Amino acid sequence: MDNLSEQFSQIYDQYIEQIYRFVYVKVNSQELAEDLTSQVFLNAWKTYQKGGEVKNPRAFLYQIARNIVIDYYRKKGKEKTVSMESI
Protein backbone atom coordinates (compact mmCIF):
# COMPACT_ATOMS: atom_id res chain seq x y z
CA MET A 1 0.00 0.00 0.00
CA ASP A 2 1.41 3.39 -0.88
CA ASN A 3 1.81 6.23 1.58
CA LEU A 4 -1.23 8.15 0.32
CA SER A 5 -3.50 5.12 0.74
CA GLU A 6 -2.19 4.51 4.24
CA GLN A 7 -2.76 8.13 5.24
CA PHE A 8 -6.29 8.12 3.88
CA SER A 9 -7.01 4.77 5.53
CA GLN A 10 -6.05 6.25 8.89
CA ILE A 11 -8.24 9.29 8.28
CA TYR A 12 -11.13 7.02 7.28
CA ASP A 13 -10.77 4.88 10.41
CA GLN A 14 -10.54 7.95 12.62
CA TYR A 15 -13.56 9.84 11.23
CA ILE A 16 -16.01 7.33 9.73
CA GLU A 17 -18.22 7.09 12.82
CA GLN A 18 -18.30 10.85 13.41
CA ILE A 19 -19.19 11.65 9.81
CA TYR A 20 -21.84 8.92 9.74
CA ARG A 21 -23.48 10.28 12.90
CA PHE A 22 -23.43 13.81 11.49
CA VAL A 23 -25.12 12.68 8.28
CA TYR A 24 -27.58 10.40 10.10
CA VAL A 25 -28.79 13.26 12.30
CA LYS A 26 -29.44 15.33 9.17
CA VAL A 27 -31.30 12.67 7.14
CA ASN A 28 -32.73 10.37 9.84
CA SER A 29 -32.35 7.22 7.73
CA GLN A 30 -29.73 4.54 8.29
CA GLU A 31 -29.51 3.42 4.66
CA LEU A 32 -29.40 6.95 3.29
CA ALA A 33 -26.82 8.00 5.88
CA GLU A 34 -24.62 5.06 4.89
CA ASP A 35 -24.90 5.98 1.20
CA LEU A 36 -24.17 9.64 1.76
CA THR A 37 -21.28 8.87 4.13
CA SER A 38 -19.68 6.66 1.52
CA GLN A 39 -20.05 9.51 -0.96
CA VAL A 40 -18.28 11.84 1.48
CA PHE A 41 -15.26 9.57 1.67
CA LEU A 42 -15.28 8.93 -2.06
CA ASN A 43 -15.15 12.67 -2.73
CA ALA A 44 -12.40 13.09 -0.15
CA TRP A 45 -10.39 10.25 -1.71
CA LYS A 46 -10.67 11.87 -5.15
CA THR A 47 -9.26 15.09 -3.71
CA TYR A 48 -6.41 13.23 -2.06
CA GLN A 49 -5.59 11.41 -5.29
CA LYS A 50 -5.41 14.69 -7.20
CA GLY A 51 -2.80 15.89 -4.73
CA GLY A 52 -5.03 18.36 -2.96
CA GLU A 53 -3.46 19.52 0.27
CA VAL A 54 -5.71 19.11 3.28
CA LYS A 55 -4.46 20.73 6.47
CA ASN A 56 -7.44 19.82 8.63
CA PRO A 57 -8.99 16.49 7.53
CA ARG A 58 -11.81 16.67 10.08
CA ALA A 59 -13.03 20.07 8.87
CA PHE A 60 -12.57 18.97 5.27
CA LEU A 61 -14.74 15.87 5.77
CA TYR A 62 -17.45 17.77 7.64
CA GLN A 63 -17.58 20.37 4.86
CA ILE A 64 -17.99 17.64 2.24
CA ALA A 65 -20.67 15.95 4.37
CA ARG A 66 -22.54 19.21 4.81
CA ASN A 67 -22.48 19.88 1.07
CA ILE A 68 -23.63 16.36 0.21
CA VAL A 69 -26.57 16.61 2.62
CA ILE A 70 -27.52 19.99 1.14
CA ASP A 71 -27.33 18.55 -2.38
CA TYR A 72 -29.50 15.61 -1.31
CA TYR A 73 -32.25 17.91 0.00
CA ARG A 74 -32.05 20.13 -3.08
CA LYS A 75 -32.59 17.13 -5.34
CA LYS A 76 -35.32 15.78 -3.09
CA GLY A 77 -37.11 19.14 -3.17
CA LYS A 78 -37.23 19.07 -6.98
CA GLU A 79 -38.83 15.63 -7.13
CA LYS A 80 -42.55 15.50 -7.50
CA THR A 81 -44.59 12.99 -5.57
CA VAL A 82 -48.03 11.99 -6.69
CA SER A 83 -50.47 10.34 -4.35
CA MET A 84 -52.34 7.25 -5.45
CA GLU A 85 -55.66 9.02 -4.82
CA SER A 86 -54.92 11.69 -7.38
CA ILE A 87 -54.32 9.09 -10.10
Side-chain angles (χ1 to χ4, degrees):
M1 205 185 275
D2 64 351
N3 192 28
L4 185 62
S5 296
E6 289 176 18
Q7 287 176 351
F8 191 78
S9 177
Q10 290 174 353
I11 290 170
Y12 178 88
D13 291 340
Q14 185 175 358
Y15 295 109
I16 183 68
E17 291 179 19
Q18 295 172 28
I19 298 299
Y20 171 78
R21 278 185 294 219
F22 174 81
V23 172
Y24 180 79
V25 166
K26 303 292 184 190
V27 298
N28 200 26
S29 165
Q30 180 180 353
E31 292 172 355
L32 182 57
E34 290 171 358
D35 290 345
L36 295 178
T37 300
S38 67
Q39 188 64 44
V40 169
F41 282 95
L42 180 62
N43 289 0
W45 175 243
K46 288 177 183 177
T47 300
Y48 271 85
Q49 281 184 316
K50 291 178 184 176
E53 185 178 337
V54 177
K55 294 181 181 181
N56 185 344
R58 182 176 185 264
F60 178 65
L61 291 170
Y62 274 99
Q63 185 64 45
I64 294 172
R66 180 180 168 274
N67 290 340
I68 285 178
V69 169
I70 289 170
D71 289 345
Y72 164 75
Y73 279 112
R74 281 183 184 154
K75 289 177 187 174
K76 183 179 175 184
K78 292 180 182 179
E79 293 176 358
K80 285 189 173 185
T81 54
V82 179
S83 68
M84 294 299 287
E85 291 82 29
S86 66
I87 297 176

